[in-house]
Amino acid sequence: MYKATIMAAVIAMFLSLVIHTSCTSSDNSDTTPRDTTAPGTGGGNPPGPATFVPQTTGISVKKITTKDTGGISSRYVLYIPEGYNDKKDTKWPTIFYLHGQGERGTNIDLVKAAGLTRKAADTKDFGFIVVAPQCNAGTWWDLPSVARLYAEALGTYNIDQSRIYLTGNSMGGYASWEWAILRQDRFAAIVPISAPLPDSWKSACVASKMPIWAFHNADDPQVRVADARFMRDTLTIKCNATQYKYTEHPTGGHDAWTKAYDDPALYTGCCSLKNNRIHL
């Protein structure tokens, strides 16, 4: 009887481990790094929307369709370029934008007025779709939650999935580093701005093949410029990155993103590149 009880407990423990493993190995989990540094390791573009759905052009607020949105708000800011509805067969380059600490919570207007979303709204003929989620109050970016929105956006909008870019400022810049190190295959390029040193910096070499343009101000009082310089040296010296660009302004405080997003070269250079490492 005792042996039977022990055996039953062992079997139950084994089954629980199997179930747990199967439930946490989703492709969209974005919690485990993938070795996707070499071109051609991806499985090609995933399917986009089955049928074209017209969208409100300019800035709008959308609701995530999944019931449990995890660590992000149920609403996100979307920018759709002029001409989107007239060009039903066109696939558009897309930028995922992750805001800083000041925009957390449920006031979506804060995200509308932040960094890249404000730039898109204020720019005539801004040629990118912009997807900007909102982080829950009192937390940092939860990448699995953002990854689910990433997948939802790809299935909803006419996105050129070889031209998806990631950028963020401050807390969002930190998350940009973390996400790119985990899943560099998701993006054609990344632009971390005023970003703290990512926890996974020791694995940064996996992102050395992708184009990166980082920005920081030397007099930033909130995030040490040493963090940005350390990542620059890690990528360019240790990892031999050849597509790494670093712009450091002597002044400007913590806000390095206004100058960065106002620079036309960001959109004609870094954000015009294509990704041949797609593997969703």
Side-chain angles (χ1 to χ4, degrees), residues 61-77:
V61 175
K62 296 289 186 178
K63 190 172 179 63
I64 299 174
T65 59
T66 54
K67 189 173 182 180
D68 181 9
T69 59
I72 61 176
S73 168
S74 61
R75 298 186 298 168
Y76 63 97
V77 174

Side-chain angles (χ1 to χ4, degrees), residues 29-209:
S29 66
D30 284 59
T31 56
T32 304
R34 289 193 176 191
D35 182 11
T36 53
T37 56
T41 58
N45 286 359
T51 58
F52 179 85
V53 177
Q55 302 293 332
T56 300
T57 57
I59 290 287
S60 63
V61 175
K62 296 289 186 178
K63 190 172 179 63
I64 299 174
T65 59
T66 54
K67 189 173 182 180
D68 181 9
T69 59
I72 61 176
S73 168
S74 61
R75 298 186 298 168
Y76 63 97
V77 174
L78 176 72
Y79 175 84
I80 294 290
E82 292 293 333
Y84 179 91
N85 294 323
D86 298 327
K87 302 174 181 178
K88 296 180 174 58
D89 296 325
T90 297
K91 301 296 184 182
W92 295 82
T94 299
I95 305 174
F96 279 80
Y97 169 61
L98 305 180
H99 62 70
Q101 293 188 48
E103 290 74 42
R104 293 179 295 182
T106 57
N107 183 355
I108 199 68
D109 288 338
L110 294 175
V111 182
K112 284 184 183 180
L116 184 68
T117 44
R118 181 177 61 187
K119 173 65 178 178
D122 292 345
T123 303
K124 182 177 174 59
D125 298 327
F126 192 78
F128 298 80
I129 294 173
V130 177
V131 179
Q134 185 172 35
C135 186
N136 286 344
T139 64
W140 278 53
W141 285 107
D142 178 62
L143 294 183
S145 301
V146 182
R148 287 192 291 272
L149 174 59
Y150 177 104
E152 180 174 314
L154 265 58
T156 304
Y157 309 114
N158 274 13
I159 292 175
D160 181 345
Q161 295 171 25
S162 69
R163 291 191 293 164
I164 299 177
Y165 312 97
L166 174 64
T167 186
N169 52 269
S170 192
M171 180 182 80
Y174 168 91
S176 296
W177 275 125
E178 290 289 329
W179 201 0
I181 291 170
L182 281 170
R183 294 295 303 271
Q184 65 282 166
D185 55 309
R186 288 199 185 278
F187 306 105
I190 67 163
V191 182
I193 305 173
S194 304
L197 185 70
D199 288 346
S200 56
W201 66 266
K202 290 182 180 179
S203 301
C205 286
V206 299
S208 62
K209 297 286 194 295

